[in-house]
Amino acid sequence: MTAQFLPHPGTGELFTSPVVPGSGWPGDPATVDTPVAHSCADVAAEAASATNLTELDARISLCRACPRLVDWREHAAVVKRRSFEGEPYWGRPVPGFGDSLPKLLIMGLAPAANGGNRTGRMFTGDQAGDWLFRGLHRAGLAAKGAADHAGDGQKLYGVRMISAVRCAPPANRPSVEERDCCAGWLDAELGHLLPWVRTVVALGAFGWDATLRAVRRSGGLVPTPKPKFGHGATAVVHTADDKPLNVIGCYHPSQQNTFTGKLTEKMLDEVLAQAKELAGLGWGCGGSGRR
Ligand code: SF4
């Protein structure tokens, strides 16, 4: 089948779905020379040998280690939701988005098939992402209250968004094996970030558990019994170099939670205000936003 080229919603440049590395997609960290992981052993090796965050982002964005998730993300990129059928889909793993020296991390589960898997940016392009970015903007942590597509000028200030799994999973449920395989990327990214990070906002129980597991894997200390997730729940864990790290639970801004009122804007604002203070970001906008 001949590849279909469609215009990027921001730049108008033509791209295939999935996007070819180095073809000019705004913020694409990869090039044709970026190595591709085809197994979990490759993930571990390539994650460990990436010398900086940019190189790590590039390698993540081409990973093909989980066959089921590769099929799903590329299927979603070709079949598409009707409202986006005129757009190209990123269709690749989604690297972290935001500041490269963050004080605050937002940890979620995975990109959505028609959200981050379409835009190529973490937690953007769907209603949950819109909610989150509006909240971050109200808190003075994002340049704009919307994040429609890569290259739209959105920036995060002192904040980086990451996820435990980098490919959109069917029904938003990665398998344990897929989660553990992707942990190789997560651990390497945290290795670059944790020297600066003071607070993590964990979206949902999956983000909470992924954060605590990653801290343990890195040699840090998590209290026992394991702190329980809840909206507004806080835990203080310690990194491997014995620095305290605040973890704050936040209900995921999914439609299921926001439509039913389980998560309100006020509840989100309260968590972000607490996180901002604990992260030492009370001075307002600044930092070194990327992409
Ligand atoms: Fe690679 Fe992670 Fe995607 Fe699996 S989920 S293919 S490890 S990026």
Side-chain angles (χ1 to χ4, degrees):
M1 198 169 75
T2 315
Q4 188 184 23
F5 286 83
L6 290 169
H8 183 275
T11 67
E13 276 189 70
L14 299 177
F15 295 97
T16 56
S17 305
V19 171
V20 174
S23 59
W25 184 271
D28 185 348
T31 69
V32 289
D33 297 322
T34 303
V36 179
H38 289 277
S39 67
C40 300
D42 287 353
V43 170
E46 287 183 15
S49 63
T51 54
N52 57 55
L53 206 49
T54 305
E55 200 177 334
L56 184 69
D57 284 350
R59 294 178 180 195
I60 290 171
S61 80
L62 292 182
C63 180
R64 303 185 69 81
C66 306
R68 186 183 78 116
L69 299 192
V70 172
D71 283 352
W72 182 252
R73 78 190 191 211
E74 295 188 347
H75 173 78
V78 172
V79 174
K80 300 179 183 175
R81 179 173 286 170
R82 180 176 284 192
S83 48
F84 303 123
E85 64 188 5
E87 291 183 24
Y89 270 49
W90 173 252
R92 288 165 39 194
V94 181
F97 171 63
D99 206 311
S100 54
L101 305 173
K103 291 186 172 179
L104 174 60
L105 282 183
I106 297 183
M107 166 79 91
L109 162 60
N114 295 289
N117 188 53
R118 174 173 58 87
T119 64
R121 273 196 323 196
M122 192 61 73
F123 306 141
T124 65
D126 61 8
Q127 229 153 349
D130 292 347
W131 247 75
L132 197 53
F133 275 92
R134 280 200 300 272
L136 288 165
H137 184 56
R138 287 194 298 274
L141 298 171
K144 307 197 304 179
D148 302 322
H149 50 75
D152 60 4
Q154 180 60 276
K155 279 187 178 176
L156 296 178
Y157 301 118
V159 179
R160 186 172 174 90
M161 293 173 159
I162 60 175
S163 65
V165 173
R166 304 307 173 115
C167 295
N172 290 323
R173 283 207 190 91
S175 68
V176 170
E177 292 74 21
E178 289 158 352
R179 179 200 73 189
D180 290 349
C181 188
C182 213
W185 297 126
L186 176 63
D187 292 351
E189 185 161 8
L190 289 176
H192 290 281
L193 301 177
L194 280 184
W196 290 273
V197 173
R198 293 170 62 178
T199 298
V200 180
V201 170
L203 298 178
F206 196 103
W208 178 269
D209 288 342
T211 303
L212 300 186
R213 264 196 308 271
V215 169
R216 277 209 183 108
R217 279 195 306 270
S218 72
L221 279 179
V222 174
T224 45
K226 188 183 81 172
K228 278 196 180 144
F229 171 76
H231 184 81
T234 59
V236 181
V237 300
H238 285 79
T239 60
D241 54 359
D242 206 29
K243 273 186 5 196
L245 178 69
N246 306 290
V247 184
I248 308 177
C250 181
Y251 288 146
H252 192 284
S254 64
Q255 286 191 23
Q256 196 183 353
N257 286 341
T258 55
F259 280 10
T260 58
K262 184 174 178 182
L263 177 66
T264 63
E265 287 193 339
K266 182 169 176 288
M267 290 165 70
L268 178 62
D269 289 350
E270 285 168 356
V271 161
L272 292 177
Q274 187 188 4
K276 184 175 165 178
E277 189 177 332
L278 288 173
L281 289 168
W283 35 262
C285 295
S288 56
R290 303 162 72 230
R291 270 195 275 162

